[in-house]
Amino acid sequence: MEFQERKRWPFLGLPFTFTVYTVREDLITVDEGFLNKRENDCYMYKVQDVELLRSFWERLFGIGTVKCYTGDTTNPQLYLSHIKNAKEIKDFILEASEKARIKRRTLNMLDIGTGDSADVEPEE
């Protein structure tokens, strides 16, 4: 499955920009610019969390912004700004990133601090 959306104006949701987002099962590509082109890729397994942001105007015109928290060095926070079908794309990225991590056998471990005092050495 693949999504391809254009960045839109927040007002009226018109696609008069030169930014195209392509979301595939293994890769997110941001292609921006008219005269000076810039293409940025992020592997799906690097996406750690996804957030959907929708202002009043975005909700009014049926668009939204998807914010991806990634382990990518060029874009630790990747924004897919002012796109249609934002909820579906967010859900797709969330599921595809989990599948990609399982497929590559990568695992994210967070130290949440259990508070067990036996593991902590006393300070001198």
Side-chain angles (χ1 to χ4, degrees):
M1 182 173 218
E2 178 178 310
F3 288 97
Q4 187 166 5
E5 289 288 335
R6 289 182 101 43
K7 181 178 180 180
R8 297 169 180 271
W9 286 353
F11 184 69
L12 298 178
L14 299 173
F16 292 140
T17 63
F18 296 101
T19 302
V20 178
Y21 304 108
T22 306
V23 180
R24 288 184 232 120
E25 292 186 19
D26 60 340
L27 192 67
I28 299 172
T29 303
V30 179
D31 188 14
E32 47 190 353
F34 177 66
L35 295 176
N36 296 323
K37 299 288 279 183
R38 180 178 168 205
E39 184 175 305
N40 191 2
D41 297 319
C42 178
Y43 286 109
M44 196 60 79
Y45 75 91
K46 291 186 176 186
V47 176
Q48 298 166 354
D49 197 14
V50 183
E51 183 178 7
L52 176 62
L53 308 169
R54 297 180 85 188
S55 68
F56 172 74
W57 291 109
E58 286 178 325
R59 286 181 306 191
L60 190 65
F61 296 113
I63 58 177
T65 298
V66 177
K67 181 179 180 182
C68 301
Y69 297 93
T70 70
D72 196 25
T73 55
T74 57
N75 276 336
Q77 294 180 355
L78 180 65
Y79 287 91
L80 308 179
S81 301
H82 313 304
I83 57 174
K84 283 193 176 263
N85 305 315
K87 175 113 173 94
E88 291 84 9
I89 292 173
K90 178 201 72 101
D91 293 339
F92 176 77
I93 291 173
L94 201 57
E95 290 177 23
S97 65
E98 186 65 26
K99 288 178 185 176
R101 280 194 298 276
I102 291 170
K103 183 178 178 181
R104 290 182 69 101
R105 296 181 181 159
T106 59
L107 182 62
N108 267 342
M109 306 239 345
L110 298 175
D111 181 15
I112 57 173
T114 59
D116 190 7
S117 61
D119 294 338
V120 179
E121 295 184 23
E123 294 181 20
E124 294 181 28

